[in-house]
Structure formats: C-alpha cells, structure tokens
Amino acid sequence: MMEKYINHRLKEKNILLMTHIVMGYPSFEASFKIVESMVTAGVDLMELQIPFSEPIADGPVILGANQKALENGATVQRCLQFARQVVASFDIPFLFMSYYNIPYKFGIPAFVDTMATIGLKGAIVPDLPPEEGREFLTEMERSALAPILIFSPNTSIERLRYLAGFARGFVYCVARKGVTGMDTDFSRRLDEYLARCRSATSLPLALGFGVKSAEDVRFLTGKAEIAVIGTATIQLVQERGVAAVAEYISALR
Amino acid sequence: MMEKYINHRLKEKNILLMTHIVMGYPSFEASFKIVESMVTAGVDLMELQIPFSEPIADGPVILGANQKALENGATVQRCLQFARQVVASFDIPFLFMSYYNIPYKFGIPAFVDTMATIGLKGAIVPDLPPEEGREFLTEMERSALAPILIFSPNTSIERLRYLAGFARGFVYCVARKGVTGMDTDFSRRLDEYLARCRSATSLPLALGFGVKSAEDVRFLTGKAEIAVIGTATIQLVQERGVAAVAEYISALR
Amino acid sequence: MDDRGYHNGFGGAFLPEILVATFDQLDAVFRQARNDPEFWQTYENIMASYSCRPTPLTFAENLTRHFGGARIYIKREDLNHTGAHKANNVMGQGLLVRRMGKTRVIAETGAGQHGVATATMAARFGFRCTIYMGEVDVHRQRPNVFWMQRLGADVVPVRDGTRILKDAINEAFRDWVSNMDTTHYVLGTACGPHPFPEMVTYFQSIIGKEARQQVMRAENRLPDRVYACVGGGSNAMGIFSGFADEATELVGVEAAGRGLDSGQHASRLCAADASVGVAQGYKTFFLQDQDGQMKETHSIAAGLDYVGVSPILAGFKETGKARFEAVTDDEVVEAASLTIRKEGLIPALESAHAFAQAFKEAPALSRDAIILINQSGRGDKDIFTIADAFDDPGWKEFIIEKAGQYGRERSPAS
Amino acid sequence: MDDRGYHNGFGGAFLPEILVATFDQLDAVFRQARNDPEFWQTYENIMASYSCRPTPLTFAENLTRHFGGARIYIKREDLNHTGAHKANNVMGQGLLVRRMGKTRVIAETGAGQHGVATATMAARFGFRCTIYMGEVDVHRQRPNVFWMQRLGADVVPVRDGTRILKDAINEAFRDWVSNMDTTHYVLGTACGPHPFPEMVTYFQSIIGKEARQQVMRAENRLPDRVYACVGGGSNAMGIFSGFADEATELVGVEAAGRGLDSGQHASRLCAADASVGVAQGYKTFFLQDQDGQMKETHSIAAGLDYVGVSPILAGFKETGKARFEAVTDDEVVEAASLTIRKEGLIPALESAHAFAQAFKEAPALSRDAIILINQSGRGDKDIFTIADAFDDPGWKEFIIEKAGQYGRERSPAS
Ligand SMILES: Cc1ncc(COP(=O)(O)O)c(C=O)c1O
Ligand SMILES: Cc1ncc(COP(=O)(O)O)c(C=O)c1O
C-alpha cells in the first residue's frame, strides 16, 4: 500500500520528503499547524512521534521535545486523538514513531488495531529489532500496516537481508553512527552505503539523520527515494516559529 | 640541709606550707609580688616552676599558666634571672620545678651548677623516674641539692623504698591519681596512704594535689610535715588578683 | 547473538540497529572469555593483587548477641578497592575491553560509586574515560566527581530528562552509538540489554563463590538466608550466585524510601506502582505510569535510586527463587547506626538496606540459624548523605565555616 | 620494667610516678603475649576476618613504565578496614586490653585516622572510648569526628596548648593518670614511653612480614629499596621490620612542608631545627627551640604533623640503618596526582610522601632494580585537604551551596 503510494509519487517528483514531529510539542495546537504547513508545502510522508521519557536513540533536540511534550501532558490517548484528527484532515500517509514501551504497555494487538482504525500507514520503533518484535510484526502484518525497519552503516550484508525480510513500505536507512540531530557528511561513502542497502531490498529507501538543506536533498536525489527531515524542523520552530516551516520545506526541493 | 630546715621550722609550726608559682605568670613583676606576699604571709618553702610547652602532669590551671608565661616570653634565662632575684630577696628555701627537657636541653651539669650558684635548694622533675635520672641525681648529689622524689598512691611498697633511696630533703606525696588542680577527698584512705609512705622513708613528707583550704591543712596536720598549695593560688590570682594572696595564705594555718 | 538472555520472560536486547553489531561482538568476546579457563584465573589474580580479594567474611558477634537469634555473618565487599563491589564488575569488563582492543570506556553513574570504579579501572588499564552523570547527581555527589576528575575521567553532567541515573544511562547509549568502534560502555549493574545482566552477574559471582566457601569453612554448612540490597541487582546477583541451592533462602531488599505508598520509593519488585515494560534496552519491572513513561524514584541511597531492575531478579521474583522485601529510609538509617556502633562497620546506605531487613528477621530465627548479609560497600563515601540523615549539627557548622572560607577567597575585597 | 626500650640512646620511659605501675602491667602483658605463639595467630586471624589481611602487593606497571627505571611495587595498607595501617595497631592493642581486663580505651588523634581506628576497635571489642583531639584538628578533620561519634566514641576537643596532636597526647596522658585502673591508652604510633614504640612496631610488623613474602613470591628476591612516610614512624617501622637485611635500603620520608628552611615543616630527622630532647615520656629528636620548648609543625598531611618521632627510627638514623629524606607539600601533591592518574590508586597525603621520594629515585635505578612503597592509607578520607591542595573550584562551589542549604534550614524565616 505504502510502497505503491511512494512509487506513484515518484513519478511526479525526483525524491520524496518525509518529515517528523513530536506530538504535543510545543503544543498540540502548534503541532497541528506544523503538520498543516508541511502538507501544504508538499511533504509526502510524515512521522508522528509519541513522546517517551527515555528516547535512547534521539539526540538533544528531539529528546528535549519529547520531555517538553510530556511535561505539557502529552498522554498516549491525547496523541491518538491528535493522530485521528490529522489523518482525517490531510491526505498523505502518516506513520507513528515511538519506542517499544509505548505499544508494549498499551498492549500490542490493541495498539496496532487502533493504528489501523485511525488510518495510520505504518510505524517506526527504533528500539525493536525483529528478534524481539515477533508479536508486533505479526500484528502489523495482520492489519496490513508497514513496520518500517532500520538499516545502519555497520549492519552486515547478511543482516540487511534478514531485516529486509520483515520490512514493508520502505526501509529507513540511518545515514551514520550516532543519534538524531548531528551533522552528516554527505559524501562518496554514503553512496556506497546506499548501494549496499539497495542490494538487500527492493523496497524504496528513506535516508535520515542529518538531512537539513536543499543541498543535502539534492545530493540524495537519485540515490534514495525519500529524504527524511527530522531535527531540522524542530529546531526551526524553536528558532523562528511555526510560521517559518512552510517556506523552509518548500525551499528544500 | 633542707631536711634540717624543715625539722627546725616544725618546732615552731605544726605543719609547714609549700606554695608554687609558674615563673612569668601572669608576668615576672606579678610573680615577684606573689612570692613576696607569700613569704610575708609565712610560707615555708616555694616551688618555682620553669614553664614548659608540654606539662604532661599538670591540670588545666597550671597548664594554662605555663602557656601564658611562654607566650609572654618566659625563657629559661629569664627564669634563672628571676630565681636569682627571688633567692637573694627572701630567706626561705626555693626549689625548681620543671619537666626533664628543660635541664636536659640546658645540659644537666650546667643546669645543676647554675641552681647551686643561685642558691636554690632542690628540684622537682615529675617526669623523671630515677631509672632515667642517673646523671641528674649524680649531679644533684655532687652539688648537695635535694632531688625531690614523688610517691604516688599506686606505688608499691617495694618501689616506695626504692624511690626513697634517691630522695633528699623531703618526699612529695601525690594525694591521689590524676593531675594537679582537681579535688581531693581528704579521708581515712589518705591516712593509710601516708602511713605507707612513712614506712618507706624517714624523710619529711609533703602532701600535694588538691590542698586548698584551712580545713585541708588542718586534716593534714600531724600526718604530713608539709602541705603543698599549688593550683589554688594561681586560681586565686586569676580571680581576685595578686593582692588577695597574702590574706589567703595567712588564713590557711 | 542467538541466546537473547531471557529469564522467565525478562531480559532481551532491545537495541537500536546501529548497536546490534557491537553487541554481537561483546557477546562473542564474553562467551569466549567465559569458556577460557585461564580468563577467570586472570580475573581472580587481578582482583587479588589490585583489590583485596578474597574479601573477608566477618562474624558479627555483637549483633548476633544483640538480637539473640540467628548467627549473623557479613561479607565484606566494602573492603574492595574504591569501596564497593562495583570494583569486581569494572575490572572484569576492563579485561574484556582489552580483549576487544578498544581504547576508551564510558559509563553512567548515579551515586558516583560506579563512576569512580570505572575511572579507576580506566586509569589502571590506560583507557580514556568519559562518565555520564545526571546534573542533579553531580551536585549531590560532588566528592565522587572530584575523584573521577583526578583519575583523569571526563565527567559530563547530563542536563536532559530528570537529570538523574536513568538519564545518564540514556546519554551513555547516545555516546556509544556514535563511538562504538573505539569505545566500550561499562554498564554498572546487572541490567541493560543482554549480555550485560549475565556478564555483570558473571563477574560479581566472585562474591558468592568466596562467601560460600567461607561460610562452609566457618560453619560447615550453608547459611539459611542470604540478604542483599537491590538497586540494579548486581551485588545481589553476585552473592546469590553462590547459593543457588534450595537450602538457602535468597532475600533481595529494595528501597521503600518514604514508604511503598508514598510514591517516593525505588521498589520495582514489591510495589504496586511497578509493572513490566521495556526501556533502556531490556524488559523488566519498571516504575512507570500507565502510558509507560518512567516515574521519578526516591531512595536515601543514591545507588538504589533507579527505575529498572535486573531481569534475572525479575525472573527470580516470578519463580519464587528469591524473596523480595523493601525497607524505608528511616529503617535504613537506624540499621546503619546500629551496625556502626555494635561492630565498627560502616555500611553504605545501599548495603544498610540488607542489614535492616536481616535485623527484622534475625530475632525470630533460632540460635543455630545462620544468616549472611552482603555489605556491598562502605559508607564513609556517603558522609554528606549520612550526616544529613543524622542531621548532625557539628557537620553543618563545619560546612558553613568551610564555605565561609571559600567565599572569602573568592572575594578578597569583601 | 627492666628493659627500658633504648635504641642507640633513644627511647626510655620518662613517666610520672603515678603511671609507673600501669606501664609495668602493660609491659608484662605485652611480653607475655609476645611469647605466646597463639597470640600472634589470634592477631592474624582477627586481621584476616575483620580487616582484609594480608593486604595485597600491587605491581605498579604504569608508573614503572612512566619512570623507565626500577620496578615499582606498592604495599596496599590503604585497603585495611578504616583505610590505613592504623587498624593493625589498634586491633592488636585491643587484644591486650582484653587480656588486661580493662573496659575503656582512650586515644589521641591528629588527622582523625587513629581516632576512627580506635573508635572502631572499641565498638568491635565493646570498650567505652574517649578520643582526644586538638580543637584545631576537630575543625580541620570534621568528617572523622563525625564517624568517631557515630561509632560511639566521646570526642573531646583539646583547647590547651597549640590545640593540635601533641596537645591531644598530653591530654590523653592526663586522663590516663586519673583512670588507669579501667583504662588503656591506645597510643597511635611507634612513639611515647617504652613499651609503646616496641609494641606498636610489633603489631605493625605484620606489614613487613607479608610484604617480604609477597615480593619474594613475585620476584624471587628482596627489593633494593623500601620507602615509607614517617610521622610518628609506625607504618615505616611496620614495613621496615620485614627487611632488616643489609641487602635492602630502608628510606623514611618526612614532611618538608613548605621547605626545610621555611620553619614550616615536620622533619625531625632531616632538619637543622630538630634536636634531641625528652617529652611526652620518651627521648628522641624533637622540633624544639633552644630552651627545649616544642615548636609548631606544619605538613599538608595532618598525620605527619608531629613534633617527635619514633625513638627506634632515631636510632636507625644514628646507625645509618635507614636513610631519611624529606619532601615538600608541593612534591607530595604532584606525586599523589600522578599515582591517581597512572594507577587508579589514591594514596593518603601521608603515604604520598613515600611515593614522592620513590619517584625522585626510580628513574636513576636500573630496570631490574625493585623498589617497594608502603601506601599506608587511602586518600579519599582527605577530600577536604586534597580538594584544597588542588584548589578545585567545583568542590568549593559544592561546599558553598551545601552551606547555603544548611544556613537556610537554621533560619527558616530568612
Ligand atoms: C555500595 C552499593 N551497593 C549497592 C548498589 C546498588 O547496585 P546493585 O544493585 O547493582 O548492587 C550500589 C550502587 O551504586 C552501591 O554503590
Ligand atoms: C595514612 C597514614 N599514614 C601515615 C601516618 C603517619 O603515622 P606513622 O608515621 O605512625 O605511620 C598517618 C597518621 O595519621 C596516616 O593516617
């Protein structure tokens, strides 16, 4: 389903953009406006992060957004409600992003059912390798939702293939070691890495971690199907407010 | 010599009084006045203490006087000069009292010679048992000065006899355990102790540590030849000044 | 990594993909070492010549008499170099780091105890060292920060999250995902993703091995009960390892803080507000809310102030292989005070939890019963906390005076 | 008492008559114990089960490499219970107190180390305990005062004299002359009237006995030089006891403070301003003026800040059986700092004197030379002093903050 959407869109655009927000940061109202701006500015897919108190794979910016959202009362229920509203309002695929404890505490089957009911298209759970995710993967499959698996630069080719076996929709390729929000060196080595990813899967590739400028997006065009902008927009909102988002996104591509 | 003096005086008095000062406390001028008052009030013998930084057998009052005197510049030379002046001015026997390090650093023969030259009659060195005092005792003997030995309530009868063998002039019987300046219980047990002391020596007995009132002196009369007043006068000077000394001493006997 | 370290459903390795290869390597090296009979010998030698293993077993004659019940023995981990059982774990991991050819270590620390131990190990092995410590803890545990710095470690105050131990762990993971090629993360307790719980337990099992032999030598039989405090669970797993027999009851003692109902405690195995979850890479009981967000914890003992607990102990809880209890801050201070006065031993406040529970039970046991308490560390490192717990006026005066002196140095004009 | 403990003219027992009988008793009990083969065994057992003897010998691989000269070994007295070699002496004397049937102990303390050790021993043996401590030291060493009080000891601040260690010794003697029937004075070092120097040396000789065996086991030969710091001289006598052979050079290291010419030091065996005298009951080198009045001393290490020195070491000085050196405060801080960073060992500032001198000599020695340093204690007890020596701003801030907190508690209105 999502794969089809991606390929379809790629007929009109050289590269798709996926953006990321932390639901409830800086507030749910603002979150809604950000989504609205992004969709209007032409974003193709979006990650909606359910904030978690221990976001182990996120850097300081997203980490701070998680905390702030929680302090402001971003419960899981409130996030689900927000997602419902967003999915109903905008016509692009939305994915959940969160750490495993959130669906785990909710109850995996119930969580996946809720996602399906709301109309989300998939989920990224960065601390859930397939070895630990049997139940989650089964439920996702049953509901025809895409579990987005993650490739990393130091994943062996055998393991890339192993992961690919569980992936649906697209694969999220982490550009480098480290957490979100640090600079990435867009260079020949990235080409080699993406080629390796490509050899392991026929799914579209999304590349994230450190993508933030039109130049970065240009570099990726023709190499990945999706450029993921995460930390950059949160930083933008912090520095220049929600109003700056639309212009920023439009200028990326 | 001193023994003769004591026995001679005892023909006129029931009990003799020995008092004690720390040279240079509160000042050398005051020390001189105190000696003068005491002699005038009828004191029979006096201890002149050369202050020492570590007066291990003295209680807080005499300890404090030692320190104060040292702070005020009471060097050994100054003390010798003071002693010379006092011996020349007053016609009773004066004894040095100090800890062993003072004569030791001065040089034992020179120290004893100086004592003899000045006209002192003996010395009390509370941290010098005869086992350690061979040289000192020899020098004192040579100069016909009296080393005053100390008996204590827990000295065995054998040792009392051993100590008596080195004693000259009189023996200083410490009334009880502890340091100078604490209360003593003048009771039957003291009688027994003095009887034990008496059995070990034919020398006159001086009793010290805690003697401070006419009542105490009365108790000792007929039991000891000499009552030693130490801490009491220093306390008196501290509380009521040098002028109070004469009256206090006169009232003791 | 085939065996993912599950213990009755607890454990696992919930890792970001970027760390999977690093854990595969760690797991392999650990297995290799464990199967190499010389490795344990090397480990024992280093602990004997650098720390003072075997640590003694002390018969607490006065406490035994005082309670009039069971014979009380104390395993003296307080005598270890750096003052706690933490030394066992760090030196062991140091040997693995050397095997892996890495040159840098990182660690989280709460009380500062594990940070000092790691910085010490790094100095001795010649590794570079970074210690992550919640900003709140940096302030609370300044003496340990001072020592870590003297030992050459870079101490990084963590200003994110609740700025305590769990946040320091997250931050250490963030460093690790960037620097895994050169760097090993020396986790401080029997928690975290597999193989950490097993690996830390393996090194700490030296406590139980020795203690078993020592009790057998002294009494010619096994103890009836063994008490250990439970923070992450490493000292408990260490001593329990020696007494897997049915005959000995294992008692883990958690921090009930201001009471299990107060919301201010750190009990994950005895409290109603704990439940199973997945965080920091493993599945266990966490103190968390209904959404799965971690709660703030409280204990008078900084080293017990943690939201998770060893998955192996969580397994023991489920199977009944160990019994878990919790004691309050007040009970702990009283137990520490009694132990100091009666035996001249100063248990760390963490360890004093084990003492407090043992003291509750000892009087009711018969005079031939034997109990063993693990004194995981020494308390003199805790003077700021203990002095506060005793509300000591002399201490406060001293600090105020000292501060005055420092203040005057700073502003020589005033 | 026939043998009066003279060592080349130093020693003796210059006692007030009231104490003679007490010393006769002590001397007799000590002789008896010494001639009883079971006594040493009992002593070793208690030190093995209550402290962690034998303490290890650590090869300082990194320091050895750093200096490129002699192989450096470190005897780890820092791992003793209560953190220093002082434990050996107090536990030994505790056994004698029990033999004498006394029920109370008193002690002097400067750094607080010996006071804590004695209070610990008293707690363990069930004796009442009073510790005399100069008022200046009570303020400087508050943490130790706190622990002594927790251990049940009565800490009496001595307000007489210079209000430091020597005054505390005088005060302890004053207590003793009043209470000798029930009370034993646990002198803390190899000083004082006979038989104290010999008795303390006897108990501390456990260090040298062990170290000799350990070096022999490691190197199959004796060390070329043995270094120990010299305060009163007990740790030095302890380790030197194991190496009386001609083959090993014994090096005692005193505190040169701000320099031997500064008038602010505590060197009695290397400084021109020391001379032979008699005080505190024995004859030795004292820092005294021409009249024989004791001088003020200075050392960065409170435990070395004493006017006298063991008469046995004074004898060694005269016969050349040992060599004596002195190192300055600055050299000591540098040596401590290097040892912490290179080996992860935190020597007490006292012990760091021995390290400093060894470091001066090690580079010039050949690579097969062996030197042994006695780490008499651990430095984490000294954090207030060490932090000051390093002039650590973070530490000062922490203290100022803490003081602010205590200040607010005191005046809740403000
Ligand atoms: C002395 C001591 N005991 C116990 C603990 C708790 O850790 P664990 O449960 O891993 O033994 C700590 C942690 O810092 C500690 O310092
Ligand atoms: C650790 C340590 N080393 C050395 C000394 C000095 O004493 P001694 O010369 O008797 O060993 C002290 C005294 O407090 C001490 O605490």
Side-chain angles (χ1 to χ4, degrees), chain A residues 58 76 101 105 132 159 177, chain C residues 6 13 17 174 181 275 278:
Chain A
D58 283 301
V76 172
N101 203 42
K105 279 294 283 184
E132 303 288 359
R159 187 167 173 84
K177 294 169 195 167
Chain C
Y6 273 99
E17 188 53 41
R174 289 189 191 103
D181 297 339
S275 61
V278 175

Side-chain angles (χ1 to χ4, degrees), chain D residues 84-86 111 113 189 229-235 303-304 348 350-351 376-377 381:
Chain D
H85 70 293
K86 300 281 175 191
Q113 194 62 33
T189 188
C229 69
V230 178
S234 69
N235 89 86
L304 303 185
E350 289 82 4
S351 322
S376 54
K381 66 179 177 64

